[in-house]
Amino acid sequence: MRYLIPLISLWFLFVSCDNEQEPLPSYIEGLVELHADPNGVLRTLITEEGRSYGLINPQSGYTPGTVYRAYTIYTLSSSGAALYQLGIVPAEPATEKSPEQVRQDPVELVSIWKTQSRWLNAHVRIPAGEGTVDLGWTWSNIEERVNAQGSYKMLHFTLETKIQQTPYMYKEYYITSCPLTPFSKQMRRGIDSISVTLNTESGIVERRFVY
């Protein structure tokens, strides 16, 4: 499946205000976590900093009891969070594969980061074109290591990139997330580490984070 996260940072410039004396609200743009209740209604927003807010404008039509990652524009107030625009970001759990089984077509890396101890995230650019782009997370093993502070574990991830298309002259942005909660019983927060490997246009890169 193809996942495109469009640039929407200027969206709020088109919002009109009936009262020119009333200040515009402070719009926030970025990744969040959204929780659907048993009826499939999005009712809770959790920021990248881990703060939780109830939604002033709940969104229906989602899978009951599901946690979503979304790129959103929203506002915060004493009443909660209000969504103005959202795009669901792929956030499937990592599949176990050996490094030899992982396909890694080169991409342009924008950033890789970890959200608290809950998500790994990657932001990449890939040439637009006719065909398909598949991004997915894999993990290979949990390695026991020792340093000056004692023993710790290293969890190895790879971002799998399958690009099958005839490229155009411009590139598109893609964002994907991977939940870390499936490893919460094996990994210790603040002690163990995560390694992420990605094939870029400049070669293989590795990023490391504390779990």
Side-chain angles (χ1 to χ4, degrees), residues 69-115:
R69 287 289 274 169
Y71 197 84
T72 63
I73 291 177
Y74 63 99
T75 59
L76 297 176
S77 68
S78 58
S79 301
L83 286 176
Y84 288 86
Q85 186 167 338
L86 72 87
I88 299 299
V89 169
E92 296 294 326
T95 57
E96 186 175 3
K97 286 186 178 181
S98 67
E100 296 76 18
Q101 295 176 304
V102 179
R103 176 170 168 177
Q104 287 188 282
D105 294 327
V107 297
E108 180 184 335
L109 175 61
V110 179
S111 61
I112 297 177
W113 72 101
K114 183 176 73 72
T115 304

Side-chain angles (χ1 to χ4, degrees), residues 122-180:
H123 185 186
V124 300
R125 293 181 70 209
I126 298 173
E130 296 293 332
T132 60
V133 172
D134 292 316
L135 304 179
W137 295 88
T138 69
W139 71 279
S140 56
N141 67 309
I142 299 177
E143 181 184 0
E144 296 282 351
R145 294 191 176 188
V146 177
N147 59 18
Q149 286 71 45
S151 62
Y152 70 99
K153 296 177 182 178
M154 177 72 75
L155 173 58
H156 294 274
F157 284 95
T158 302
L159 181 63
E160 187 166 36
T161 51
K162 300 178 181 179
I163 304 171
Q164 297 176 320
Q165 62 181 12
T166 303
Y168 298 147
M169 295 299 294
Y170 64 94
K171 293 181 177 180
E172 295 175 326
Y173 289 90
Y174 293 77
I175 295 177
T176 180
S177 295
C178 172
L180 293 173

